[in-house]
Amino acid sequence: MLRIRNLEAGYGRLRVLKNISMHVNPGEIVTIIGANGAGKTTLLSTIAGLIRATSGEISFQNQEITRLAASRIPRQGCVMVPEGRQVFASMTVEENLLLGGHSLGRAGRKELPALLDHQYGLFPILRDRRSQLAGTLSGGEQQMLAMARALMSRPSLVMMDEPSTGLAPLIVRDIFQVIVRLRQEGNTVLLVEQNAKAALAIADRGYVLETGKVILQGSAEDLLANKDVQRAYLGREKIQ
């Protein structure tokens, strides 16, 4: 579904991504782990068109999107749930969700009621809060809203940037259960996550980024068993 070849990108003269190649198959959960500053957010932002690649190629469903405008990429079926939620605080929950369906265009307006019902089924608390201003929600509720807003465009690939940041453990568990359910419903997920243990527990495969380079890749099971991954990201107590 997604193929990246020799991708490089950064900010001005600062090169952050260095010759990255990776892929995501339909129906997979693929996680990207790494320390702060490894380039994880830059990678998702480049795929989403928010940062321009300086070289390399990004293909989504066999169409090159490397230089597509960020506004066009969701229409191709690739959406991003940004780090820090970034909900529209002065708008209601339902208004945020309807904005998420904007990329469907006029032809998709008739689908909006069914899409709203589906998101409320995934996140029942949002139905209860539908008329509440998004800025008054808790952090966990805002994360659910950010995810539901992305899903309103009927994406094929959902990219999530650090969905567990700042959330209580019980909320994190609920968020990861929803990610698993998305895959069960036919979605494909590319997950950037600091909580490596939780991410690898639900992923099919993973990539480890370090200073803008892919230094390890493999099945989630293999990465969980890798002593270098355990030492760097899972804690020394995991090494046997």
Side-chain angles (χ1 to χ4, degrees):
M1 180 170 286
L2 177 73
R3 182 172 295 279
I4 297 169
R5 296 184 180 93
N6 307 318
L7 185 66
E8 303 211 349
Y11 307 90
R13 294 184 179 180
L14 177 63
R15 189 170 63 130
V16 177
L17 304 182
K18 303 164 187 173
N19 201 37
I20 287 182
S21 295
M22 59 176 289
H23 70 278
V24 180
N25 296 317
E28 284 189 313
I29 298 175
V30 174
T31 189
I32 301 170
I33 62 175
N36 285 332
K40 304 185 302 296
T41 294
T42 301
L43 175 57
L44 291 196
S45 297
T46 305
I47 297 168
L50 300 171
I51 295 172
R52 284 291 177 205
T54 54
S55 63
E57 180 181 294
I58 305 167
S59 295
F60 177 68
Q61 299 192 126
N62 297 317
Q63 299 291 322
E64 186 176 354
I65 62 169
T66 316
R67 284 164 180 78
L68 273 187
S71 60
R72 292 183 59 190
I73 290 176
R75 297 173 187 172
Q76 305 297 311
C78 176
V79 299
M80 179 175 171
V81 181
E83 183 179 13
R85 276 73 90 170
Q86 298 186 30
V87 299
F88 295 97
S90 61
M91 300 175 69
T92 67
V93 165
E94 190 150 303
E95 287 169 341
N96 270 266
L97 292 176
L98 290 172
L99 272 178
H102 178 73
S103 64
L104 296 174
R106 290 185 178 181
R109 285 180 182 174
K110 62 181 180 298
E111 299 180 52
L112 292 177
L115 287 167
L116 279 174
D117 281 345
H118 185 68
Q119 305 321 315
Y120 290 145
L122 276 176
F123 305 99
I125 191 65
L126 296 183
R127 187 187 297 274
D128 298 336
R129 304 276 195 268
R130 62 197 305 170
S131 300
Q132 189 170 323
L133 294 182
T136 66
L137 300 177
S138 69
E141 290 165 350
Q142 288 190 16
Q143 183 62 50
M144 294 175 190
L145 176 57
M147 293 169 66
R149 182 180 60 190
L151 293 169
M152 284 292 293
S153 64
R154 288 193 291 103
S156 302
L157 174 66
V158 185
M159 302 189 295
M160 299 190 186
D161 193 2
E162 306 284 7
S164 75
T165 298
L167 302 183
L170 286 177
I171 301 298
V172 172
R173 181 198 64 187
D174 292 344
I175 294 294
F176 276 78
Q177 285 177 347
V178 170
I179 294 172
V180 171
R181 182 172 170 185
L182 293 181
R183 192 255 304 274
Q184 292 170 343
E185 293 182 352
N187 293 100
T188 304
V189 178
L190 180 57
L191 173 65
V192 159
E193 182 54 59
Q194 280 280 105
N195 188 337
K197 182 181 178 183
L200 289 170
I202 65 168
D204 299 291
R205 296 186 300 110
Y207 293 84
V208 181
L209 255 59
E210 187 174 287
T211 60
K213 300 177 182 178
V214 174
I215 62 165
L216 279 173
Q217 60 179 292
S219 70
E221 183 179 357
D222 287 345
L223 291 177
L224 279 168
N226 183 289
K227 286 185 166 50
D228 290 332
V229 173
Q230 292 175 357
R231 188 175 293 109
Y233 306 109
L234 304 180
R236 293 181 180 274
E237 69 278 2
K238 299 300 176 185
I239 302 174
Q240 300 189 7

